[in-house]
Amino acid sequence: MRTRRTMLALSAGTLCLAGCGAPGGSNGGLTIEVADATAAPGETARIAVQASSVGVLTWQLAEIPERWQVAHENFEPQPTAVRESYPPELVWDPVAESVTGSLAVAVPNGATPGEYVLAVEAGTATADERAVSEATVTVEA
């Protein structure tokens, strides 16, 4: 009997620990990936975005000048709400299993050539779990 109890206890402990290695515990499915983009002054740089288990998506102009316009395009599924705040928020309610789309960065005429960073953050509906990815926008001469 002692052996049977020991095996049952070990099995139960193993099952309890099975999900512990994932970030965020059992809600470890939140991810965000963005791709770098290149554009010349006067053109639009399109940053591809892929996210999973996302409820809210935001972006901040980390190194991008404030006068540059950033817009969201072609998100599937479409967000259930768009909050025009700073930072802007795309909201999916309920949480979307998988989201794809792009952020269009309008590079103004006369923009200084170089590399600029756009930080994109995804969160769950509870706002406790966050994931961040940074895209580099390269402005060509």
Side-chain angles (χ1 to χ4, degrees):
M1 277 310 212
R2 194 171 253 250
T3 305
R4 179 184 254 162
R5 283 187 194 152
T6 303
M7 291 303 290
L8 288 173
L10 287 173
S11 296
T14 302
L15 290 173
C16 289
L17 292 174
C20 290
S26 62
N27 295 331
L30 176 66
T31 62
I32 178 85
E33 280 188 41
V34 294
D36 296 339
T38 302
E43 294 180 348
T44 300
R46 285 186 171 71
I47 297 168
V49 178
Q50 285 188 305
S52 62
S53 299
V54 65
V56 178
L57 185 81
T58 64
W59 57 92
Q60 296 192 17
L61 306 175
E63 296 176 3
I64 292 183
E66 285 184 36
R67 70 183 189 285
W68 293 21
Q69 298 296 312
V70 181
H72 65 281
E73 296 181 335
N74 305 317
F75 272 87
E76 289 295 330
Q78 292 185 1
T80 53
V82 177
R83 295 185 185 134
E84 300 295 331
S85 57
Y86 187 79
E89 293 182 338
L90 304 180
V91 179
W92 286 269
D93 187 16
V95 169
E97 186 175 313
S98 178
V99 170
T100 59
S102 63
L103 296 175
V105 180
V107 179
N109 290 320
T112 304
E115 293 184 344
Y116 301 85
V117 175
L118 181 72
V120 182
E121 181 177 287
T124 60
T126 62
D128 290 340
E129 189 177 2
R130 295 279 186 221
V132 177
S133 186
E134 293 183 340
T136 301
V137 175
T138 302
V139 176
E140 299 175 325

